[in-house]
DNA sequence: AGGCTAACGTACTAGTTCGTTCATTACTGG
DNA sequence: CCAGTAATGAACGAACTAGTACGTTAGCCT
C-alpha cells in the first residue's frame, strides 16, 4: 500500500489542508456574495462545508480576514482573465470593441465577483484597502487601453477626449450594471437584462456604444451646426 | 396663550408624531445606506435620534418594515424627480442628451438612494418586491424615452436598434456606476470618479455616449466596410 | 377641569453570533 | 514504530441584537 493514501480515505486524504482551505474559500465566497459581509453567518458557512467552524478560524483567523481572503482570490482571478485578453493585434476600433465584448462576457460569467464588488463599495472599499496583495491591480488594463487609444488617435479613428481610465470606466459601467442591478431593474421594468435571449444584443450594444463614443458620433450634432472645439 | 404650543416646547411640540416619524425615516435611510440591511443596527439608529427605539417599533413594526418604508420613500423621490424632467419640447437628439445629463445630475445628488439600490440588489430585490406601493414605477420614464425614440427615428437621427428600456439601461448604467463603484474603482485606479473636478467632463461624456450610440456611430466601421443589416 | 388616548421612555428577554477552549486524531520524519 | 506536530471536532461563553412588557405623560375634546 502506498503511504500517501490511507485505507479510510480512498478518494483523497481525510486530512488535506489545501482542500479544506479551498472549500472554505469557495463556500465563503458564495455566502458573502449572497448575504453581504454582515449578513453572511460563519456558522451557516460551516454547516455548508465538510469541515467545521473551527477550521475557518484555524486557517483565516476571523470573519474579516476570511472576507479579505475571498476578495483577494476574486480579484486575482479577474486580473488573470484580463491579462488573457489578446486584442493588441487588432486595429484600434476593433481592439476596443473586442475588449468591451470580452469584458462583457467575463462579467456575465462571474456574477459572484460582481456582487462582492458591490458589497465592497457599500463598505467604502474598507476591506479592499486593508488588503496587501493589491499592488498595481488596475495597471495592466489601463495600460492596454492607453496603447489602443494612442494608436486610434494616430490613425484618426478616435476623436473623443477620453483617457484610458475614462474608457475603462465606461466599459465597466455598461457591463457591470446589467448584472449588478438586474433585480431592481427587472422588478421595475419587467425585463431580465441578464436573460440569455438578450445577451447577444446587449454584448453588441456595449461594443457599439464605446466605439460610437470614441469615434465621435456624440459630437456629430454639434459639428453639423458648425460648432468646433 | 395659544393652545397649540405648550410652554415647555417653545420651538415645536414635544409630542409630534409627524416629526418623529420623519426623523426615524431620515436616520434609518442614512444608516441602511451606510451599513446595509444586516449591518445597520436598530439600537444605533435609536441612539442617533431624539426619540427611542421603542418608537421605531411603534411606527414601523420591525426592522424589515422600516427598511421597506425607507426604500419606498427613496423611490418616490426619484419618481418625482423624473416626472419633473421636461425635455419633450427639445429635438430628439437634444432631448436624449438632456435626459441623460439630468439623470447624471440626479444620481450625483442622491447617493444614498444609489446605495440603497445596490443593497437591494444584493438581496435580489426581495424587499422591493414585498412593497405594495410599487405600481408602475418604471412606466413614466420608459414612456418618455419611447416617444423621443420614435420622433428621432422618424427624423432619421436615430438608427440604433434599441428600445426605451435599453436606452434607459444605458443611461442608468453610466450614471449609476460612477457613484456606486467609486470606492473600489478609486482604490484600484487612483481616480475618484465622483470628484467635482471630473464631474462636468463625465456629464458630457454620458450624454455624448448615448447620443453617439443612437445616431449610429458604433456602426460606422461596419458601414465603411460595406456591411449592411 | 378632567378624562381619554396617542405618543413616549425604561428596562428587560429570548435568541443569535463571533470567537475560543480543550481534547483528539491523522500523518510524517527519524 | 513511535514521538511530535499539523489538522480537526464538540461544546461552550461573552457580547450583541431584535423585539417586548409595562409604566408614564402630553395634549386634545368636551
Amino acid at each position: 500500500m502506498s503511504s500517501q493514501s490511507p485505507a479510510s480515505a480512498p478518494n483523497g486524504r481525510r486530512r488535506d489542508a489545501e482542500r479544506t482551505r479551498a472549500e472554505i474559500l469557495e463556500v465563503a465566497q458564495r455566502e458573502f456574495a449572497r448575504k453581504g459581509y454582515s449578513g453572511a453567518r460563519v456558522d451557516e458557512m460551516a454547516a455548508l462545508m465538510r469541515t467545521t467552524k473551527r477550521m475557518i478560524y484555524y486557517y483565516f483567523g476571523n470573519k474579516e480576514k476570511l472576507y479579505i481572503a475571498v476578495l483577494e482570490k476574486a480579484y486575482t482571478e479577474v486580473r488573470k482573465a484580463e491579462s488573457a485578453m489578446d486584442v493588441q493585434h487588432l486595429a484600434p476600433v476593433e481592439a476596443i470593441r473586442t475588449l468591451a465584448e470580452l469584458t462583457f462576457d467575463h462579467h456575465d460569467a462571474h456574477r459572484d465577483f460582481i456582487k462582492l464588488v458591490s458589497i465592497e463599495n457599500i463598505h467604502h472599499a474598507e476591506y479592499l484597502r486593508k488588503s496587501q496583495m493589491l499592488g498595481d491591480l488596475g495597471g495592466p488594463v489601463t495600460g492596454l487601453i492607453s496603447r489602443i487609444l494612442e494608436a486610434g488617435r494616430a490613425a484618426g479613428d478616435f476623436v473623443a477626449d477620453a483617457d484610458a481610465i475614462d474608457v475603462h470606466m465606461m466599459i465597466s459601467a455598461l457591463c457591470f450594471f446589467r448584472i449588478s442591478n438586474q433585480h431592481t431593474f427587472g422588478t421595475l421594468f419587467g425585463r431580465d437584462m441578464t436573460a440569455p435571449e438578450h445577451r447577444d444584443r446587449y454584448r453588441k450594444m456595449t461594443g457599439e456604444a464605446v466605439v460610437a463614443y470614441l469615434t465621435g458620433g456624440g459630437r456629430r450634432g454639434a459639428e453639423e451646426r458648425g460648432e468646433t472645439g
Side-chain angles (χ1 to χ4, degrees), chain A residues 67-108:
Chain A
Y67 176 73
I68 291 177
V70 165
L71 265 187
E72 289 177 342
K73 179 172 157 256
Y75 269 106
T76 303
E77 283 166 11
V78 169
R79 180 167 184 177
K80 209 189 302 173
E82 281 174 349
S83 67
M85 289 181 183
D86 180 31
V87 297
Q88 293 246 56
H89 61 97
L90 296 169
V93 170
E94 289 315 309
I96 283 288
R97 191 199 306 275
T98 305
L99 185 70
E101 293 186 355
L102 286 174
T103 303
F104 181 98
D105 290 337
H106 187 264
H107 278 65
D108 195 71

Side-chain angles (χ1 to χ4, degrees), chain A residues 8 18 66 74 88 113 134 147 157 181 187:
Chain A
S8 55
E18 283 302 304
L66 172 62
Q88 293 246 56
F113 170 72
L134 273 167
R147 275 169 268 136
D157 290 330
N181 286 50
T187 302

Side-chain angles (χ1 to χ4, degrees), chain A residues 96 99 138-150 153 161-172 214:
Chain A
I96 283 288
L99 185 70
V141 217
T142 51
L144 174 61
I145 295 176
S146 268
R147 275 169 268 136
I148 299 174
L149 286 183
E150 272 177 49
R153 287 217 180 82
D161 173 34
D163 66 20
I165 294 181
D166 296 339
V167 173
H168 181 65
M169 179 184 93
M170 189 168 161
I171 294 173
S172 297
L214 286 174

Side-chain angles (χ1 to χ4, degrees), chain A residues 40-54:
Chain A
R41 301 299 174 209
V42 177
D43 283 296
E44 207 169 324
M45 288 179 196
L48 292 166
M49 315 184 313
R50 280 191 225 169
T51 182
T52 63
K53 182 168 63 155
R54 175 70 183 78

